[in-house]
Amino acid sequence: MKKRLLTSLMTASLIAGLGAAHAAVMEGFPASGETQVSASNWTLPTFNQWAFRNVGIHPSVMVPRDGETVSIPYKMDQSLEQASFEYQGKKITLLEALEADHTDGYVVIKDGQIVYERYFGEFGPRDHHLWASSTKSLIGMAAGILVEQGKLDITKKIPSYIPELKDSAFSERTVRDVLNMITALDYSEDYVNMEPGATSTEYFRRLGFIPAYDLMALDPAKDDTPRGIQAFLPNIGQNPDLSPRHKFEYHSPNVDVIGWIIERQSGQPLQKFVADNIWGKLGTEHDAFFMTDIAYTPVATGGFNTTLRDFARLGLAMVNNGQYNGEQLFPEKWVKDTFTLSKEERQHVSNSQYKDTEHVTFDDKLTGYKNFWWIHDEEKGIATARGVFGQTLYVNQDKNVVVATFSSAPSASNAARDTYKLKLDITHQLAEQL
């Protein structure tokens, strides 16, 4: 395992070097064909380094900020990046770990003060960046607001809110089942082996993860082929070989169901609900935006884009049980519920691939998955929001630490990438020592 880690580190460094030397992106006026970002290459290295901070290449809708900006004071300790940590018998500095996983930006906040902030390459403090699936955790908190308002009952079955799903895999699933991803969908979250015509491939085509030029060309007034995510969700069936509520399976369509419910129950487009109830109250520095599907529906499962410090502001609310800027932004009861796992909820993760020591995605620190958050320690209030290619929001209530990081790693799956595991482990060690 140590040898595999070091090999991964060297490979990551090699890729980074090759990227700098041979793979300029969007170079020239106009950019040459070889360097242009397109719908076909936007997630591939090194095109993703440009694409993840320019996701406006996809359809998008604005999420405007509001009110006065709440500044985050600085108490910088630049020496932190040279701090040495032990991982699998080796001494590695924070900076080495960040560079190995192709980090774009990294900010550490302790007791409400920024103690470390670093940007890499072309990415800077005013640049937007894709959250990817860290968006899921934001949607989980948005759902909690509806619960507090009495507009959402997590014990009810999905068709009571979205009748269109009565013949799908969600027909007998409760809102809680979906929030915890124990729905047993006939679906695969495989970002590499996408078989033509498979449910997951068709879903990713509508998501915008891979291009769907044929769908873009359809006129919805003349053709009822499902072009967007919501129209496609009724086509997702149940896995015939797996019982629901048996194990946690990371399946992105679950979040789109909750996003759809938020729209139906609030009577607002998702971007408007998030702007009114969350983004406009966080004292953010910049507007945000959602990447959308072809039908201009916000991609609830992974389409949010913000600057790095604004990403961290979600963590500042979570670390304080939902309170931020003198306001109870997220219901305290909902935040505490997120960090509290039942015996069954712990078992769902225990039954998953993430607790299989022989599986490449084994996670020794994961204890649960709830309300679209990865739970690491209930008593200390430690959890993460995670997105493919390295996007992570780390929250440690016990130490009052928030760490936000954006990345453009060469591979999508964080759970299967050694350099991500290294960075997450060192992030946790750093938080515990601050």
Side-chain angles (χ1 to χ4, degrees), residues 153-178 182-185 234 236-238 242-245 254 257 261:
D153 183 342
I154 62 173
T155 67
K156 285 190 174 182
K157 294 181 180 179
I158 296 301
S160 64
Y161 296 111
I162 309 293
E164 293 93 328
L165 296 178
K166 62 181 177 62
D167 295 322
S168 72
F170 303 100
S171 63
E172 295 298 316
R173 303 284 64 79
T174 66
V175 174
R176 167 59 75 205
D177 294 339
V178 175
I182 50 173
T183 45
L185 305 183
I236 298 179
Q238 183 180 321
L242 182 64
S243 299
R245 299 176 181 164
N254 288 293
V257 171
I261 290 175

Side-chain angles (χ1 to χ4, degrees), residues 103-306:
T103 301
D104 295 319
Y106 190 85
V107 61
V108 181
I109 303 174
K110 166 69 174 176
D111 296 331
Q113 297 176 305
I114 295 175
V115 297
Y116 178 71
E117 186 177 29
R118 176 72 183 261
Y119 297 89
F120 299 82
E122 298 295 320
F123 185 67
R126 294 183 296 173
D127 290 317
H128 282 69
H129 198 291
L130 180 67
W131 285 25
S133 289
S134 290
T135 308
K136 292 175 169 64
S137 302
L138 175 71
I139 299 303
M141 291 300 104
I145 294 173
L146 279 182
V147 171
E148 181 77 2
Q149 293 174 349
K151 297 178 180 179
L152 181 60
D153 183 342
I154 62 173
T155 67
K156 285 190 174 182
K157 294 181 180 179
I158 296 301
S160 64
Y161 296 111
I162 309 293
E164 293 93 328
L165 296 178
K166 62 181 177 62
D167 295 322
S168 72
F170 303 100
S171 63
E172 295 298 316
R173 303 284 64 79
T174 66
V175 174
R176 167 59 75 205
D177 294 339
V178 175
L179 285 165
N180 291 4
M181 294 203 189
I182 50 173
T183 45
L185 305 183
D186 188 13
Y187 169 89
S188 172
E189 194 85 10
D190 188 334
Y191 306 110
V192 179
N193 302 306
M194 296 187 186
E195 298 179 7
T199 298
S200 54
T201 303
E202 289 303 309
Y203 169 77
F204 278 121
R205 276 167 27 90
R206 284 155 179 85
L207 195 70
F209 194 83
I210 53 178
Y213 301 112
D214 56 327
L215 297 177
M216 296 177 197
L218 295 178
D219 182 350
K222 300 177 181 179
D223 193 313
D224 61 1
T225 300
R227 297 165 66 247
I229 299 170
Q230 290 177 352
F232 182 74
L233 287 174
N235 293 292
I236 298 179
Q238 183 180 321
N239 185 339
D241 300 320
L242 182 64
S243 299
R245 299 176 181 164
H246 172 67
K247 69 176 180 177
F248 160 57
E249 287 191 301
Y250 188 79
H251 286 166
S252 288
N254 288 293
V255 193
D256 297 303
V257 171
I258 298 299
W260 197 355
I261 290 175
I262 290 172
E263 293 187 326
R264 283 280 174 88
Q265 293 306 106
S266 68
Q268 295 181 304
L270 184 60
Q271 71 271 19
K272 183 81 165 60
F273 183 86
V274 171
D276 290 350
N277 292 277
I278 301 174
W279 208 247
K281 298 180 179 181
L282 268 175
T284 55
E285 298 176 46
H286 303 93
D287 294 334
F289 70 92
F290 266 108
M291 172 184 165
T292 75
D293 61 17
I294 303 169
Y296 298 104
T297 298
V299 178
T301 201
F304 209 52
N305 293 260
T306 73

